[in-house]
Amino acid sequence: MDADAQKAAIKSASRRYGEVTHIRFSANELASLKAIAERDGVTVSEVVRRLVRAEVGHLPIASEALRPAIVDMADQLRRVGVNFNQAVRTMNDGRVANDENLEQALIAVGNLVRQFREELKAMTVGPRKARVARP
């Protein structure tokens, strides 16, 4: 990788992740992390991010095989969200009798749809590939 491409990759990662931390591992722990990273074709940093996501209950990053299906589900949820927004807008414009309970329920379901869609989108973010060792 030439110097300009490496700088661009670092800048891209900085925008994507924002924060940097330094962690000390034992030789065995680091060897395990490197083995996982090599197996999955990602960086050690990506392995640590995945472990943290799993620990805090976030959905995992999707495999390449599952990514198209998850992208499709996220798009379907976007469409559902659009329909909920249209229903609430129709009620707010007075074109339909306003039922406060129904409006609150539509807003709550719309928020859940939006939250789930964001989680699905987060699953499809591609991991950074492991660096190829230079000869």
Side-chain angles (χ1 to χ4, degrees):
M1 182 182 292
D2 68 358
D4 289 336
Q6 189 171 13
K7 285 180 185 178
I10 291 169
K11 194 172 192 177
S12 174
S14 296
R15 280 192 304 263
R16 182 172 170 191
Y17 298 113
E19 300 295 325
V20 174
T21 189
H22 300 278
I23 305 170
R24 294 184 189 276
F25 292 105
S26 71
N28 289 338
E29 291 168 336
L30 187 56
S32 295
L33 286 170
K34 286 180 178 181
I36 294 168
E38 186 175 325
R39 178 194 71 201
D40 293 348
V42 297
T43 63
V44 170
S45 295
E46 181 64 24
V47 172
V48 172
R49 279 190 291 275
R50 288 177 179 186
L51 292 169
V52 170
R53 287 178 57 81
E55 182 64 26
V56 298
H58 289 286
L59 296 172
I61 300 297
S63 67
E64 289 298 321
L66 288 176
R67 192 173 316 256
I70 292 173
V71 167
D72 184 52
M73 284 188 282
D75 186 56
Q76 289 177 28
L77 282 173
R78 180 191 60 77
R79 293 177 195 169
V80 169
V82 167
N83 288 339
F84 277 108
N85 286 338
Q86 289 174 346
V88 171
R89 188 175 302 120
T90 299
M91 291 176 72
N92 288 337
D93 289 347
R95 292 181 276 163
V96 174
N98 193 349
D99 180 341
E100 190 172 319
N101 291 332
L102 177 60
E103 181 178 359
Q104 293 304 315
L106 287 172
I107 290 170
V109 171
N111 288 336
L112 288 173
V113 166
R114 196 170 11 266
Q115 178 185 352
F116 190 56
R117 180 174 175 253
E118 292 303 315
E119 289 179 16
L120 286 176
K121 283 173 48 178
M123 289 177 68
T124 62
V125 172
R128 291 179 58 207
K129 299 289 182 192
R131 290 183 185 92
V132 177
R134 293 184 199 169

